[in-house]
Amino acid sequence: MSLSMPTLMVAIVLTSTVLALSIAAVAFRRSRALWIWAWALTAHTLAFILTALRAQVGDFWTITLGNTLLAATFTLFAAGLFEFQQRRLPRWLTWAPVPVVVIGSTYWLDNSAARSVLSSMVFISQCLFILVALIGQHQKTAGRGQYLLMVGFFLLVIVIGYRVVEAIGGRIEVLSSQVTGPIQTVTLLASIVTLMLLASGMTLMNQERAEHELAQNREVLKQQNLALQDNFAELEAANQKLAELSITDGLTGLANRRRFDEVLAAESARAQRTGQPLAILMIDIDWFKKYNDDYGHQAGDVCLTRVASVLRSSARRPSDLVARYGGEEFTVITADTDVDKAEVCRCALPCRGGVG
């Protein structure tokens, strides 16, 4: 299979340039990992520009600088991946392949087979390093974009390994727009396919992580809303209890003086509007002070609670209010009750004869 090498070179340069600019635009102020990957594609673009211009710039710049840029491309891919995975990678380990390629390409500048084997083995080791990092973290990485990256780098390992085999067999072809051959064609076509896989995988990984984090944030927000609702219900219950305590006498459990005043004002206003009678009974425990002094305050409290219990059970209607007016004084508000009925109620109180 033989295709136009200049056309393939231009296609790779344009594809890599467009992808680098697109990813950089997506990454701007959003994703540091994508931003690093955009620089990786930029280095890849520059490497193939030098390769395409080999006849104009010479072998030294094309080979040494071009291979260095390719090594930097894989290094930046690895750095971007570890940034995406939120893992730290020692810089010396990340960038070690670059000086190795620089020295090897310079030393074996005139030995294409040795130079190609060395640089290809470095590139393969970088791709395998990235594959191991991808596979090792695949369960912690959301989505399917990571698998596109795995396929892309696996394809690179195969293509670069093929070049190593050909170089060892003495059939290596110099990568140039002026040289046409099957190895060249396979390498350039694989580069285009790999670029598409890597760019798609990188953007998809970033999008899937954003969607995964959004789903997690929604779940957290949902749980927080449920907790807030529970807290609100507890607060409402506490407020209700506090409101009840604020109008309840702590000792007897009857309505307190504050509640009595509120109900008296409301019932008086209603009685004036409707013209219905309103009765108020005042109950006082005779000789309570002497009882309290003789038997003690605890016995006095028991006496008050018993009187309160009797009064509460004597209330005939739910609308009747029994309250502790103060000290040993109690009161009953009973609506729609005239004087005669009020007298009957007073006489019917079981505690009229006293409590002892």
Side-chain angles (χ1 to χ4, degrees), residues 101-306:
V101 170
V102 172
I103 295 171
S105 297
T106 303
Y107 184 79
W108 282 302
L109 184 62
D110 297 326
N111 189 336
S112 60
R115 183 185 68 245
S116 180
V117 170
L118 173 66
S119 59
S120 295
M121 292 304 297
V122 171
F123 299 154
I124 288 175
S125 66
Q126 289 180 293
C127 291
L128 290 175
F129 178 75
I130 295 172
L131 278 172
V132 170
L134 283 168
I135 296 172
Q137 295 289 313
H138 79 280
Q139 292 183 343
K140 299 180 180 179
T141 305
R144 294 168 290 180
Q146 57 181 329
Y147 299 109
L148 293 178
L149 287 183
M150 292 180 190
V151 173
F153 282 105
F154 183 73
L155 179 61
L156 280 175
V157 170
I158 293 177
V159 173
I160 299 174
Y162 172 65
R163 288 184 62 85
V164 171
V165 173
E166 293 298 310
I168 294 175
R171 297 180 297 275
I172 189 65
E173 299 170 355
V174 177
L175 190 61
S176 170
S177 61
Q178 307 300 319
V179 178
T180 301
I183 301 177
Q184 281 273 54
T185 303
V186 171
T187 300
L188 296 181
L189 288 176
S191 297
I192 296 175
V193 174
T194 302
L195 280 173
M196 303 303 295
L197 287 172
L198 297 184
S200 300
M202 289 183 294
T203 53
L204 186 58
M205 282 175 64
N206 191 70
Q207 178 184 351
E208 288 171 335
R209 163 170 284 184
E211 292 175 350
H212 180 68
E213 291 177 349
L214 180 60
Q216 287 183 323
N217 291 336
R218 285 178 176 172
E219 184 62 26
V220 171
L221 184 60
K222 179 181 178 181
Q223 297 299 325
Q224 290 177 343
N225 286 335
L226 292 175
L228 185 60
Q229 291 176 4
D230 292 339
N231 293 336
F232 181 76
E234 292 177 0
L235 182 60
E236 284 289 313
N239 288 336
Q240 180 66 28
K241 186 175 181 180
L242 182 61
E244 292 175 357
L245 290 174
S246 68
I247 59 174
T248 303
D249 179 64
L251 176 62
T252 63
L254 298 178
N256 60 12
R257 176 65 180 273
R258 175 184 175 184
R259 179 59 176 166
F260 168 77
D261 292 339
E262 292 176 353
V263 174
L264 178 61
E267 290 296 336
S268 298
R270 189 173 68 86
Q272 290 178 0
R273 289 195 310 271
T274 61
Q276 294 178 343
L278 175 65
I280 301 175
L281 282 68
M282 298 297 297
I283 300 100
D284 179 77
I285 303 176
D286 294 336
W287 311 109
F288 181 74
K289 184 178 184 307
K290 187 176 186 307
Y291 182 89
N292 215 26
D293 293 340
D294 291 342
Y295 298 102
H297 292 288
Q298 290 185 350
D301 290 344
V302 172
C303 176
L304 291 173
T305 55
R306 288 181 179 178

Side-chain angles (χ1 to χ4, degrees), residues 281 310-322 332-338 340-350:
L281 282 68
V310 171
L311 291 175
R312 185 186 298 109
S313 62
S314 300
R316 297 183 176 182
R317 297 175 299 183
S319 60
D320 292 344
L321 176 73
V322 181
V332 179
I333 299 177
T334 174
D336 194 18
T337 303
D338 55 22
D340 295 335
K341 292 181 181 179
E343 181 64 23
V344 173
C345 292
R346 183 185 70 83
C347 296
L349 288 177

Side-chain angles (χ1 to χ4, degrees), residues 16 35-45 69 72-77:
S16 186
W35 188 254
I36 297 174
W37 283 332
W39 279 110
L41 289 173
T42 301
H44 181 271
T45 301
L69 286 170
T73 297
F74 294 118
T75 295
L76 289 169
F77 269 120

